[in-house]
Amino acid sequence: MGSDTTTAIRPFAIEVPQADLDDLRERLGRVRWPRELPGGGWERGVPLPFLRELADHWRTGFDWRRQERALNALPQFTADVDGQALHFAHVRSPEPGAVPLLLNHGWPNSLVEFLPLIGHLTDPRAHGADPARAFHVVVPSAPGYGYSAAPSAAGWSTARTGGLWARLMRALGYDRYGVQGGDLGAYIAPAVAQADPGRVSGVYITAGLGFPTEADVPGMTPEELAHYEGMRKWSAGGLDHHALLRRGPQTFDYGWADSPVALLAWMAHKFQEFHVAEGAFTDVIDRDLFLANVSLYWFTRTAGTSSWPMYDTEESAWPEGQRHVPTGVYSGPPGIRRLAELRNDVVHWPEDNPGRHHFVTMESPGPYAADLRAFFAKVG
């Protein structure tokens, strides 16, 4: 667990210099656009007309200061935990008896992922929900993301991050708390329970548990086998960012750090692949919310430093979870519950929650908050 030391927690506010905003607009105003490749749609990557329109809006219509004010409306802090400089938001509920809850963002995302959700959790009364099911919310930025310092050496892991979060929650005075996570957070959230099983009440995962692998094939039912084949076809059609970032994150980061359009295209490509409905991802995720996330990566130059979960691994693997505390999910499918239960005490596995995007809290914060409350009502 390390030395278990946390230095003084200090208030923090995001203040992007005006010179950085001016530089971003200047770069967006002199893009050297490529030719459109044949193929149409998203088959060869982000369509040129889509990206040109998005870049133009980023330059002329997007209001970073408005997004900055929304982020700074959340009480934010920094702290050094075991020598790692961390950034986090800590939003306390006005409701007595609120339950502490640790939220874990995904990749390539940030604190922005939870902007639409936090109010539903901390002040359910204002959203027509039961005030007895309120949460005090803690949202740390993972190492190398946003305003948390990047790992200083190779070999960082989600287990190590989980240990840091356990110590952070202890430093904040929480003896008992719940943990949530999606995408990268689906790996970190179980790691928090493994590091702090006596204090964690339950782990709530957006999705990802029970994903079948080649090793599961011999024991599959015909229905599960058909499900597995469908998942393989879907994954084969995407850009394998795990393989890309495992081998050359430094190479690609030169483009992401120097060209806002290179970063925008990379982010748009991944958000589109994470979209499971027809049309563009901007049909379900607010365009300015997406650009707030891209902007945060741009201003903090963290597109490369955020890739450690991929480059410090030898191969891609689905999150496995843990057996220390009960587990619930927002969306069981496309996972298989029988497989998830091999490594988790699953007590909550809905089949029909709404969601058309991988980052569902950015799309459907109300239903997500309702289901999260339902899970923690079961585990206490």
Side-chain angles (χ1 to χ4, degrees), residues 49-68:
F50 177 90
L51 198 69
R52 291 193 74 145
E53 188 278 331
L54 192 59
D56 183 66
H57 176 68
W58 196 12
R59 183 175 67 89
T60 64
F62 174 73
D63 185 349
W64 166 254
R65 293 302 186 199
R66 179 183 178 188
Q67 301 297 326
E68 190 177 71

Side-chain angles (χ1 to χ4, degrees), residues 23-33 55 59 260-261:
D23 174 71
L24 172 60
R25 292 194 180 99
E26 191 271 332
R27 290 170 185 262
L28 288 169
R30 56 176 175 83
V31 178
R32 187 172 182 236
W33 292 102
R59 183 175 67 89
V261 165

Side-chain angles (χ1 to χ4, degrees), residues 44-201:
R44 298 292 183 269
V46 185
L48 181 59
F50 177 90
L51 198 69
R52 291 193 74 145
E53 188 278 331
L54 192 59
D56 183 66
H57 176 68
W58 196 12
R59 183 175 67 89
T60 64
F62 174 73
D63 185 349
W64 166 254
R65 293 302 186 199
R66 179 183 178 188
Q67 301 297 326
E68 190 177 71
R69 288 192 295 273
L71 287 164
N72 285 334
L74 307 175
Q76 295 173 66
F77 304 87
T78 59
D80 292 329
V81 182
D82 289 358
Q84 180 70 25
L86 300 174
H87 163 258
F88 63 97
H90 184 195
V91 188
R92 293 188 61 85
S93 172
E95 301 294 344
V99 174
L101 178 66
L102 177 70
L103 301 180
N104 289 280
H105 64 77
W107 174 94
N109 223 317
S110 64
L111 170 65
V112 171
E113 180 177 343
F114 299 118
L115 276 179
L117 177 69
I118 290 173
H120 288 269
L121 299 178
T122 59
D123 194 4
R125 188 190 303 269
H127 295 85
D130 184 358
R133 293 294 172 190
F135 296 92
H136 301 308
V137 171
V138 178
V139 193
S141 299
Y145 290 71
Y147 292 97
S148 283
S152 59
W156 197 273
S157 67
T158 53
R160 190 169 175 182
T161 303
L164 286 183
W165 290 177
R167 290 189 280 284
L168 175 63
M169 294 300 279
R170 194 171 300 147
L172 293 174
Y174 292 132
D175 293 327
R176 187 79 170 160
Y177 59 94
V179 185
Q180 175 276 353
D183 190 83
L184 172 62
Y187 297 83
I188 296 176
V192 178
Q194 290 167 339
D196 206 13
R199 294 171 181 258
V200 174
S201 61

